[in-house]
């Protein structure tokens, strides 16, 4: 091919450089023109037009352009441009170099691995020339020489042997071309997954079956990512419940069938792990077999059997009442043992889940309820079983019976038997009772006893009596003996504790009661070697009697005392007299307090019992109280006749201390103390059904108006006075005159803070007296009970004794020569006396018989009516009378009240004055008390006995009134239903019969 006339200009095409991805074009010019211009690749392959990556374009007859799009490394090389025209040809070449930039072809992120694996972090990078690859961790170059676990592989990947969770983080893969100064990098997040691990809260869980309880099984799984927990065998249904992540499984209503092993499985990307848990289900004991038995007394043996189940296996014990039949060593199931009772008649044997109780030769006392108790660590179960013992009758009752001629006595033949259908017969000397010769014998039968009543008529009625009882099992007989009773022997005085005006006598019961109970004791005392014996009878209550108190003594005097016992047969001999000396006059002994919480809950009634007055009359009582840890409330001063105080309006649910002090002229006693707590405040009701305050106030106002109208109407019709009477214009007789005319006057003294005493007529007083009768004396009542005698016509004001003692008083007889010196010259007057200058109709107390000593009773008042009762003065003659010589034996008292016939002229009712005449006033002929029950103003001021005290600090209701109280009284004995008549005892003292 000739090239002389064709020339290719290849000066601009000789050399070219570029980067991968860039586009390049080359121009091939032919001088002189050419018919054809072709391009050839480095592979000498002709480049055809129409390719997408390489384009050939004929511009005109003299040029052609080669364009390489998105050059690649493979496009590098020498390209040749050939121009031809006929037989002429020319060529030119161009050398194209393509450089590869740093390119990351495979760099995944994140890359996850499992802890402990040999991890390879992938980072594929290429360039031309090949790059240098560096690895960094958290921005710092990895020092391979310091941690041999890290290594760069030939393909520039990073290997971490035994990767750890701490290796997790961001890694940097960096490529560099030093010749060009080119750098590029990629960040790779490396995640290390951790295989799940399971933490068991409790490898073995305990549950209790058949109790409705639930049990929790828990697997706490750790790992990354967070594991999901499942349970093997896919537990489902209402029996099981799970929490959100499945780590807790709750088994509901555990039964014994739920016992076993459970497996929990924890899974995540790193894998899975499992753990086994154990559920142990315990069962409370349950008695499955227990059967009652029946035997006959003295049969060879009878066996009770008890079977029980449970887990752990229960132990079984037997008991009968408080007795346990194992001597404290119950046999266990794993070591069967036999236990024999101390009497040798009980045998317990336990084996597996069965226990038996064998009784040999059972007696009737072995019958009853036996208890089988099964126990294990979970709980216990007890179930009763009954042993029925059939036996012949057993006769009970006291063998000896004491009585005396003319006093019927019962011989009791009480029978125990099973069957209880029993036939009972009585015999004496071989003859069945009763018979024609035994008119003084009666028999009373009940289903379980027979009572033989014998009324001894002679000595022959005493002796043996036989009772026989029979049922279908057998017969039993028993001899009873009736013995003549005797009077009791003398009691023994062990100690005398003297006080100023009283003495406590302690004694022992008689060695012999005579066969019948002691009913009463008689105490007799007097000044040593002189005077008459003063006696007093004390009844024996259910609790017995071991001490009595004698009263009315003088301070610093020698006395002797003796005692005798009384039973139904009569009175025994007296004991040896014991001499003692009373103490000097001193302050009183502290009263004994008794508190009664009222129904409201924050009110208390404090009642006190007066003790020894120290030989000087008690003048008043001082009451103090306070809440615990608070200051004392103001002191309350009460009269000497007071018996209680009512504390109201106290704080709820609060503990209080109460002190009561008795005071006489010598000083104050030590305080009697009482501690109590008020009730809790009741809850207020807000049901909406109650009345509001306005309605309640309206109702109260209406009630008050109605009461005023009723009172005014009553005054109008009865007394001819009042508002209605003024309206009608018919004034009548004044109220005072009307009351005096009818003998029904209520006198009220208009003095602030003074008690009001109502003076009743004898008709009203007698009615009340008859209705109430003689109250039973107690620790708070005076030792004497007032009697009323129709023959007397004088009023006696009765004062309380110095010390209220044994409440079981029946009869008192006092020597009138023994009195307290402090009250020998005392004159008792009312708080308001009538003017002595105008006594038109004085009424003097005179005995019904001048030759008979005065009886210490409450006589009625008989006087001539006077038009001006305000000037009437009642004189009380307390002088002594000559002692009679006749002796009267002691009279057995009666509990019935003594009726008193009413007197139309009685003005003052002694019971309403709440005071009693001292013993000294009765015995001293020089001592007289003048009573003025009716003042010129028509009022009587005497202290009230009972007081109610407001907590807000108000003064007590009654003022202090110093009324002499020392001395004692002869106690009247309750007589028959007829009027009370004075009678003399053997010492000349009167008794009220």
């Amino acid at each position: 091919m000739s090239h002389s006339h064709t020339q290719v200009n290849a000066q601009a095409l000789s050399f070219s450089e570029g980067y991968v991805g860039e586009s390049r074009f080359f121009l091939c010019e032919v001088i002189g023109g050419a018919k054809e211009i072709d391009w050839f690749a480095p592979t000498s392959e002709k480049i055809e037009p129409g390719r997408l990556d390489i384009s050939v374009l004929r511009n005109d007859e003299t040029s052609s352009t080669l364009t390489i799009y998105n050059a690649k490394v493979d496009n590098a090389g020498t390209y040749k441009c050939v121009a031809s025209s006929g037989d002429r040809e020319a060529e030119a070449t161009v050398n194209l170099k393509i450089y590869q930039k740093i390119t990351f072809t495979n760099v995944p992120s994140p890359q996850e691995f499992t802890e402990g694996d040999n991890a390879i972090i992938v980072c594929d990078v290429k360039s031309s020339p090949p790059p240098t690859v560096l690895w960094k961790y958290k921005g710092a170059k990895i020092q391979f020489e310091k941690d041999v676990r890290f290594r760069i592989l030939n393909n520039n990947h990073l290997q971490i042997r035994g990767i750890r969770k701490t290796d997790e983080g961001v890694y940097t893969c960096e490529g560099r071309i030093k010749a060009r100064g080119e750098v590029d990098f990629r960040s790779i997040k490396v995640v290390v997954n951790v295989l799940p691990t399971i933490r068991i809260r409790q490898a073995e869980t305990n549950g209790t079956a058949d109790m409705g309880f639930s049990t929790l099984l828990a697997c706490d799984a750790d790992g990354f990512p967070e594991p999901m927990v499942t349970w093997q065998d896919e537990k489902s249904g209402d029996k099981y419940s799970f929490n959100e992540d499945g780590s807790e499984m709750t088994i509901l209503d555990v039964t014994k069938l739920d016992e076993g092993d459970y497996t929990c499985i924890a899974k995540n990307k790193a894998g899975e792990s499992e753990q086994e848990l154990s559920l142990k289900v315990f069962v409370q004991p349950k008695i499955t077999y227990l059967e009652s038995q029946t035997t006959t007394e003295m049969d060879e043996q009878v066996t009770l059997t008890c079977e029980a189940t449970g887990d752990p296996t229960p132990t079984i014990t037997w008991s009968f009442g408080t007795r346990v039949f194992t001597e404290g060593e119950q046999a266990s199931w794993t070591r069967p043992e036999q236990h024999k009772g101390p009497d040798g008649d009980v045998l317990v044997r336990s084996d597996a889940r069965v226990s038996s109780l064998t009784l040999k030769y059972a007696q009737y006392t072995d019958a009853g309820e036996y208890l089988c108790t099964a126990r294990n660590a979970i709980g216990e179960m007890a179930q009763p079983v009954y042993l029925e013992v059939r036996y012949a009758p057993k006769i009970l009752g006291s063998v000896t019976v004491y009585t005396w001629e003319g006093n019927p006595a019962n011989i009791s033949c009480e029978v125990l038997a099973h069957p209880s259908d029993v036939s009972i017969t009585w015999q004496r000397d071989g003859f069945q009772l009763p018979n024609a010769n035994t008119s003084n014998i009666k028999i009373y039968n009940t289903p379980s006893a027979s009572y033989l009543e014998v009324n001894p008529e002679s000595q022959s009625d005493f002796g043996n009596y036989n009772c026989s009882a029979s049922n279908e099992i057998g017969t039993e007989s028993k001899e009873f003996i009736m013995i003549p009773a005797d009077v009791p022997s003398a009691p023994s005085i062990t100690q005398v504790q003297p006080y100023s005006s009283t003495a406590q006598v302690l004694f022992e019961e008689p060695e012999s009661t005579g066969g019948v109970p002691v009913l009463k004791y008689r105490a007799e005392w007097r000044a040593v070697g002189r005077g008459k014996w003063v006696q007093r009878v004390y009844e024996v209550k259910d609790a017995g009697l071991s001490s009595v108190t004698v009263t009315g003594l003088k301070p610093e005097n020698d006395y002797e005392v003796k005692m005798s016992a009384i039973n139904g047969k009569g009175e025994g001999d007296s004991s040896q007299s014991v001499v003692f000396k009373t103490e000097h006059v001193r302050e009183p002994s502290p009263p004994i307090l008794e508190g009664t919480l009222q129904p409201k809950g924050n009110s208390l009634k404090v009642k006190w019992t007066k003790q020894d007055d120290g030989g000087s009359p008690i003048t008043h009582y001082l009451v103090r109280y306070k809440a615990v840890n608070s200051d004392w409330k103001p002191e309350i001063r009460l009269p000497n006749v007071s018996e209680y105080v009512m504390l109201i309006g106290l704080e709820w649910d609060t503990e209080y201390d109460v002190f009561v002090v008795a005071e006489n002229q010598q000083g104050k006693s030590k305080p009697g103390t009482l501690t109590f707590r008020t009730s809790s405040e009741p809850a207020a009701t807000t049901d909406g059904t109650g009345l509001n305050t306005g309605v309640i106030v309206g109702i109260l106002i209406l009630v008050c108006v109605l009461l005023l109208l009723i009172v005014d109407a009553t005054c109008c019709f009865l007394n001819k006075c009042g508002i209605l009477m003024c309206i009608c214009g018919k004034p009548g007789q004044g109220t005072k005159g009307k009351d005096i005319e009818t003998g029904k006057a209520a006198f009220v003294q208009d003095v602030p803070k003074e008690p009001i005493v109502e003076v009743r007529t004898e008709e009203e007083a007698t009615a009340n007296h008859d209705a109430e009768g003689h109250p039973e004396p107690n620790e708070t009542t005076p030792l004497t009970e007032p009697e009323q005698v129709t023959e007397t016509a004088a009023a006696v004001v009765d004062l309380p004794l110095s010390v209220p003692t044994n409440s079981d008083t029946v009869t008192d007889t006092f020597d009138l020569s023994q009195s307290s010196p402090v009250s020998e010259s005392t004159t008792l007057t009312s708080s308001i006396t009538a003017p002595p200058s105008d006594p038109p109709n004085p009424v003097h107390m005179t005995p019904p018989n001048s030759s008979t000593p005065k009886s210490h009773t409450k006589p009625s008042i008989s006087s001539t009516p006077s038009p001006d009762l305000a000037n009437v003065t009642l004189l009380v003659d307390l002088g002594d009378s000559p002692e009679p010589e006749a002796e009267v034996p002691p009279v057995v008292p009666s509990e019935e009240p003594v009726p008193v016939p009413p007197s139309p002229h009685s003005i003052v009712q002694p019971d309403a004055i709440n005071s009693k005449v001292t013993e000294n006033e009765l015995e001293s002929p020089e001592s007289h008390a003048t009573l003025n029950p009716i003042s010129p103003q028509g009022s009587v001021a005497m202290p009230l006995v009972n007081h109610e005290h407001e907590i807000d600090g108000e003064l007590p209701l009654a003022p202090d009134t110093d009324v002499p109280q020392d001395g004692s009284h002869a106690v009247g004995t309750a007589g028959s239903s007829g009027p009370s008549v004075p009678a003399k005892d053997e010492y000349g003292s009167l008794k009220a019969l």
Side-chain angles (χ1 to χ4, degrees), residues 543-585:
L545 190 63
S546 60
S547 67
V548 298
T549 301
V550 297
T551 60
L553 309 179
K554 291 182 179 180
E556 297 186 276
N557 273 263
D558 293 326
Y559 289 89
E560 56 182 331
V561 61
K562 61 182 179 180
M563 294 191 65
S564 59
I566 304 172
N567 63 9
K569 175 72 173 180
E571 182 174 356
D573 296 334
S574 296
S575 66
Q576 294 291 329
S577 61
V578 175
V579 176
F580 63 93
K581 184 176 182 178
T582 54
E583 295 183 352
H584 57 81
V585 178

Coordinates of all heavy atoms in Angstrom, one line a residue, residues 543-585:
A543 N -69.0 -17.6 148.3 CA -67.6 -17.6 148.3 C -67.0 -17.9 149.7 O -65.7 -17.9 149.8 CB -67.1 -16.2 147.9
G544 N -67.8 -18.1 150.7 CA -67.3 -18.4 152.0 C -67.0 -17.1 152.8 O -67.2 -16.0 152.3
L545 N -66.6 -17.3 154.0 CA -66.3 -16.1 154.9 C -65.2 -16.5 155.8 O -65.1 -17.5 156.4 CB -67.6 -15.9 155.8 CG -67.6 -14.6 156.6 CD1 -67.6 -13.4 155.6 CD2 -68.8 -14.5 157.5
S546 N -64.2 -15.6 155.7 CA -62.9 -15.8 156.5 C -62.6 -14.6 157.3 O -61.6 -14.7 158.1 CB -61.8 -16.2 155.6 OG -61.5 -15.1 154.7
S547 N -63.3 -13.5 157.2 CA -63.0 -12.4 158.1 C -64.3 -11.6 158.2 O -65.2 -11.5 157.3 CB -61.9 -11.5 157.4 OG -62.4 -10.9 156.2
V548 N -64.4 -10.9 159.4 CA -65.6 -10.0 159.6 C -65.0 -8.7 160.2 O -63.8 -8.6 160.6 CB -66.6 -10.6 160.6 CG1 -67.2 -11.9 160.0 CG2 -65.9 -10.9 161.9
T549 N -65.8 -7.7 160.2 CA -65.4 -6.4 160.8 C -66.3 -6.0 161.9 O -67.5 -6.0 161.7 CB -65.4 -5.3 159.7 OG1 -64.5 -5.7 158.6 CG2 -64.9 -4.0 160.2
V550 N -65.7 -5.6 163.0 CA -66.5 -5.2 164.2 C -66.4 -3.6 164.2 O -65.3 -3.1 163.9 CB -66.1 -5.8 165.5 CG1 -66.3 -7.3 165.4 CG2 -64.6 -5.5 165.8
T551 N -67.4 -3.0 164.6 CA -67.5 -1.5 164.5 C -67.9 -0.9 165.8 O -68.2 -1.6 166.8 CB -68.5 -1.1 163.4 OG1 -69.8 -1.6 163.7 CG2 -68.1 -1.7 162.0
G552 N -68.0 0.5 165.8 CA -68.4 1.2 166.9 C -67.5 1.2 168.1 O -67.9 1.2 169.2
L553 N -66.2 1.1 167.8 CA -65.1 1.0 168.9 C -64.6 2.4 169.2 O -64.7 3.3 168.3 CB -64.0 0.1 168.4 CG -64.4 -1.3 167.9 CD1 -63.2 -2.1 167.5 CD2 -65.2 -2.1 169.0
K554 N -64.0 2.5 170.4 CA -63.4 3.8 170.8 C -61.9 3.7 170.4 O -61.3 2.6 170.6 CB -63.5 4.0 172.3 CG -64.9 4.3 172.8 CD -64.9 4.6 174.3 CE -66.3 4.9 174.8 NZ -66.2 5.2 176.3
P555 N -61.3 4.7 170.0 CA -59.9 4.7 169.8 C -59.1 4.5 171.1 O -59.5 4.9 172.2 CB -59.6 6.1 169.2 CG -60.9 6.6 168.7 CD -61.9 6.0 169.6
E556 N -58.0 3.8 171.0 CA -57.0 3.6 172.0 C -57.7 2.9 173.2 O -57.5 3.3 174.4 CB -56.3 4.9 172.5 CG -55.5 5.5 171.4 CD -54.7 6.7 171.8 OE1 -55.3 7.8 171.8 OE2 -53.5 6.5 172.2
N557 N -58.5 1.9 173.0 CA -59.1 1.1 174.0 C -58.9 -0.4 173.8 O -58.7 -0.8 172.6 CB -60.6 1.4 174.0 CG -61.0 2.6 174.9 OD1 -61.4 2.5 176.1 ND2 -60.8 3.8 174.3
D558 N -58.9 -1.2 174.9 CA -58.7 -2.6 174.8 C -60.0 -3.3 174.7 O -61.0 -3.0 175.4 CB -58.0 -3.1 176.1 CG -56.5 -2.6 176.1 OD1 -55.9 -2.4 175.0 OD2 -56.0 -2.3 177.2
Y559 N -60.1 -4.2 173.8 CA -61.3 -4.9 173.5 C -61.0 -6.4 173.4 O -59.9 -6.8 173.2 CB -62.0 -4.5 172.2 CG -62.6 -3.1 172.3 CD1 -61.9 -2.0 171.9 CD2 -64.0 -2.9 172.6 CE1 -62.4 -0.7 172.0 CE2 -64.5 -1.7 172.7 CZ -63.7 -0.6 172.4 OH -64.3 0.7 172.4
E560 N -62.0 -7.2 173.7 CA -61.9 -8.6 173.4 C -63.1 -9.1 172.5 O -64.1 -8.5 172.5 CB -62.0 -9.4 174.8 CG -63.2 -9.2 175.6 CD -63.2 -9.9 176.9 OE1 -62.6 -11.0 176.9 OE2 -63.8 -9.4 177.9
V561 N -62.7 -10.1 171.7 CA -63.7 -10.5 170.7 C -63.7 -12.1 170.7 O -62.6 -12.7 170.9 CB -63.4 -10.0 169.3 CG1 -62.0 -10.4 168.8 CG2 -64.4 -10.3 168.3
K562 N -64.8 -12.6 170.4 CA -65.0 -14.1 170.3 C -66.0 -14.4 169.2 O -66.8 -13.5 168.8 CB -65.4 -14.7 171.6 CG -66.7 -14.3 172.1 CD -67.1 -14.9 173.5 CE -68.4 -14.4 174.0 NZ -68.7 -15.1 175.3
M563 N -65.9 -15.6 168.7 CA -66.8 -15.9 167.5 C -67.4 -17.3 167.7 O -66.8 -18.2 168.4 CB -66.0 -15.9 166.2 CG -65.6 -14.5 165.8 SD -65.0 -14.4 164.1 CE -66.6 -14.8 163.3
S564 N -68.5 -17.5 167.1 CA -69.2 -18.9 167.1 C -69.8 -19.1 165.8 O -70.0 -18.1 165.0 CB -70.3 -19.0 168.2 OG -71.3 -18.0 168.0
A565 N -70.0 -20.4 165.4 CA -70.5 -20.7 164.1 C -71.9 -21.3 164.3 O -72.3 -21.9 165.3 CB -69.6 -21.8 163.4
I566 N -72.8 -21.1 163.2 CA -74.2 -21.5 163.3 C -74.5 -22.3 162.0 O -74.2 -21.8 160.9 CB -75.1 -20.3 163.4 CG1 -74.8 -19.4 164.6 CG2 -76.6 -20.7 163.4 CD1 -75.5 -18.0 164.6
N567 N -75.0 -23.4 162.2 CA -75.5 -24.2 161.1 C -77.0 -24.5 161.2 O -77.7 -23.9 162.1 CB -74.7 -25.5 160.9 CG -74.9 -26.5 162.1 OD1 -75.7 -26.2 163.0 ND2 -74.1 -27.5 162.1
G568 N -77.6 -25.3 160.4 CA -79.0 -25.6 160.5 C -79.4 -26.2 161.8 O -80.6 -26.1 162.2
K569 N -78.5 -26.9 162.4 CA -78.8 -27.6 163.7 C -78.9 -26.6 164.8 O -79.7 -26.7 165.7 CB -77.8 -28.6 163.9 CG -77.9 -29.3 165.3 CD -79.0 -30.3 165.3 CE -79.0 -31.1 166.6 NZ -80.1 -32.0 166.7
G570 N -78.0 -25.6 164.8 CA -78.0 -24.6 165.8 C -76.6 -23.9 165.9 O -75.8 -24.0 165.0
E571 N -76.4 -23.3 167.0 CA -75.1 -22.5 167.2 C -74.2 -23.3 168.1 O -74.6 -23.9 169.1 CB -75.4 -21.2 167.9 CG -74.2 -20.3 168.1 CD -74.6 -18.9 168.5 OE1 -75.8 -18.6 168.6 OE2 -73.6 -18.1 168.8
G572 N -72.9 -23.3 167.7 CA -71.9 -24.1 168.5 C -71.3 -23.2 169.5 O -71.7 -22.1 169.8
D573 N -70.2 -23.8 170.1 CA -69.5 -23.0 171.2 C -68.8 -21.9 170.6 O -68.4 -21.8 169.5 CB -68.6 -24.0 171.9 CG -69.3 -25.1 172.6 OD1 -70.5 -24.9 173.0 OD2 -68.7 -26.2 172.8
S574 N -68.5 -20.9 171.5 CA -67.7 -19.7 171.1 C -66.3 -20.1 171.2 O -65.8 -20.9 172.0 CB -68.1 -18.5 172.0 OG -69.4 -18.2 171.8
S575 N -65.5 -19.3 170.4 CA -64.1 -19.5 170.5 C -63.5 -18.8 171.7 O -64.2 -18.1 172.4 CB -63.4 -18.9 169.2 OG -63.6 -17.5 169.2
Q576 N -62.2 -19.0 171.9 CA -61.5 -18.3 173.0 C -61.5 -16.8 172.6 O -61.3 -16.5 171.4 CB -60.1 -18.8 173.2 CG -60.0 -20.2 173.7 CD -60.5 -20.3 175.1 OE1 -60.3 -19.3 175.9 NE2 -61.1 -21.4 175.5
S577 N -61.7 -15.9 173.5 CA -61.7 -14.5 173.2 C -60.3 -14.0 173.0 O -59.4 -14.5 173.6 CB -62.4 -13.7 174.3 OG -61.6 -13.9 175.5
V578 N -60.2 -13.1 172.1 CA -58.9 -12.5 171.7 C -58.9 -11.1 172.0 O -59.8 -10.3 171.7 CB -58.6 -12.7 170.2 CG1 -57.3 -12.0 169.8 CG2 -58.5 -14.2 169.9
V579 N -57.9 -10.6 172.7 CA -57.8 -9.2 173.2 C -57.0 -8.4 172.2 O -56.0 -8.8 171.6 CB -57.1 -9.1 174.6 CG1 -57.0 -7.6 175.0 CG2 -58.0 -9.9 175.6
F580 N -57.5 -7.2 171.9 CA -56.7 -6.3 171.0 C -57.0 -4.8 171.4 O -57.9 -4.6 172.2 CB -57.2 -6.5 169.5 CG -58.7 -6.1 169.3 CD1 -59.0 -4.8 168.9 CD2 -59.7 -7.1 169.5 CE1 -60.3 -4.5 168.7 CE2 -61.0 -6.7 169.3 CZ -61.3 -5.4 168.9
K581 N -56.2 -3.9 170.9 CA -56.3 -2.5 171.3 C -56.4 -1.7 170.0 O -55.7 -1.9 169.0 CB -55.0 -2.1 172.0 CG -55.1 -0.6 172.5 CD -53.9 -0.2 173.3 CE -54.1 1.2 173.9 NZ -52.9 1.6 174.7
T582 N -57.4 -0.8 170.0 CA -57.7 0.0 168.8 C -56.6 1.1 168.7 O -55.9 1.4 169.7 CB -59.0 0.7 168.9 OG1 -59.2 1.3 170.1 CG2 -60.1 -0.4 168.8
E583 N -56.4 1.6 167.5 CA -55.5 2.6 167.3 C -56.0 4.0 167.8 O -57.2 4.2 168.1 CB -55.1 2.7 165.8 CG -54.4 1.5 165.3 CD -54.1 1.6 163.8 OE1 -54.5 2.6 163.2 OE2 -53.4 0.7 163.3
H584 N -55.1 5.0 167.8 CA -55.4 6.3 168.2 C -56.3 7.0 167.1 O -56.3 6.5 166.0 CB -54.2 7.1 168.5 CG -53.3 7.2 167.3 ND1 -53.4 8.1 166.2 CD2 -52.1 6.5 167.0 CE1 -52.5 7.9 165.4 NE2 -51.7 6.9 165.8
V585 N -56.9 8.1 167.4 CA -57.6 8.8 166.5 C -56.7 9.3 165.3 O -55.6 9.9 165.6 CB -58.4 10.0 167.1 CG1 -59.1 10.8 166.1 CG2 -59.3 9.5 168.2

